[in-house]
Amino acid sequence: MNDPAAPPLPPRRHWPTAVALVAGLLLTGCGSATPERGGSTATPAHGGSAATSAHGGSAASRPAATATGTAPATRTTPAASTPPPPAPTASDGRRYAACADGTCEVAVARSVDIAVNGGTFSVTKVKPGDSVDFEVTLAGGGGGSGTMKGTCGTIVRFYPGSTSLITCGDADSTPAPPSPAPGALSLQLAGWDSDDAAVLRLVSG
């Protein structure tokens, strides 16, 4: 017999069953890494791609780690260039008296008259590093004037009554001295020394 003073009992709740259903739903909604029978091991149980995460997110959609930087500069080796020939040095320096016998190698930086084998070789103008203006008077008569320019070793020959010009050689090397020519005075601008004086060669044959 019920006690009219006792409070009514609450309705029975089936908690264990509800918890079991929720757990079942959670397991059903998550992808499994175990392949279905007869399927490939690379394919998840629910037919998703192997690149798809358990919760449906694509691995390709995740930000990938990137590296940034500057590539090292490439060193370039300059091409080897041929060094210029050394500046010539006059073997007789400025001792112009050495030209009296008709053969000498002297340095000339300004106007000067030089006795050569009974004649006269006169430098009338020197343009440092560029050219030499000159006049020649031969002992046996004849002569002439002109300008020697460049450093390729052009040879000018004065004969009694005529003049000849021999073209220059290699501009990148020190020119060889002129060979003696019978009856002629040969002149050559061999180059410019370290003081920008003209190095002149005079050779009598």
Side-chain angles (χ1 to χ4, degrees):
M1 187 173 180
N2 296 331
D3 187 356
L9 294 175
R12 180 178 295 175
R13 299 180 181 179
H14 302 283
W15 293 104
T17 303
V19 171
L21 289 174
V22 171
L25 291 173
L26 290 175
L27 291 175
T28 302
C30 296
S32 173
T34 303
E36 292 181 333
R37 186 175 301 172
S40 171
T41 56
T43 305
H46 293 284
S49 170
T52 303
S53 65
H55 293 283
S58 173
S61 64
R62 297 176 184 175
T66 58
T68 59
T70 303
T74 303
R75 292 184 177 181
T76 56
T77 302
S81 58
T82 303
T89 301
S91 59
D92 293 313
R94 302 196 184 194
R95 294 185 298 107
Y96 303 133
C99 300
D101 63 357
T103 299
C104 61
E105 184 181 70
V106 292
V108 178
R110 56 184 175 271
S111 300
V112 62
D113 293 330
I114 302 173
V116 181
N117 197 23
T120 304
F121 171 69
S122 300
V123 174
T124 58
K125 183 179 181 181
V126 176
K127 188 175 181 180
D130 183 68
S131 60
V132 176
D133 294 345
F134 66 91
E135 293 179 357
V136 172
T137 302
L138 298 177
S145 63
T147 299
M148 290 183 290
K149 194 171 185 178
T151 58
C152 62
T154 299
I155 299 171
V156 183
R157 281 188 174 138
F158 289 91
Y159 294 88
S162 66
T163 303
S164 67
L165 176 68
I166 301 175
T167 56
C168 63
D170 187 358
D172 294 327
S173 62
T174 302
S179 300
L185 172 64
S186 301
L187 308 177
Q188 182 186 56
L189 173 58
W192 301 86
D193 66 12
S194 57
D195 295 326
D196 266 347
V199 177
L200 303 178
R201 291 168 176 163
L202 290 75
V203 178
S204 295

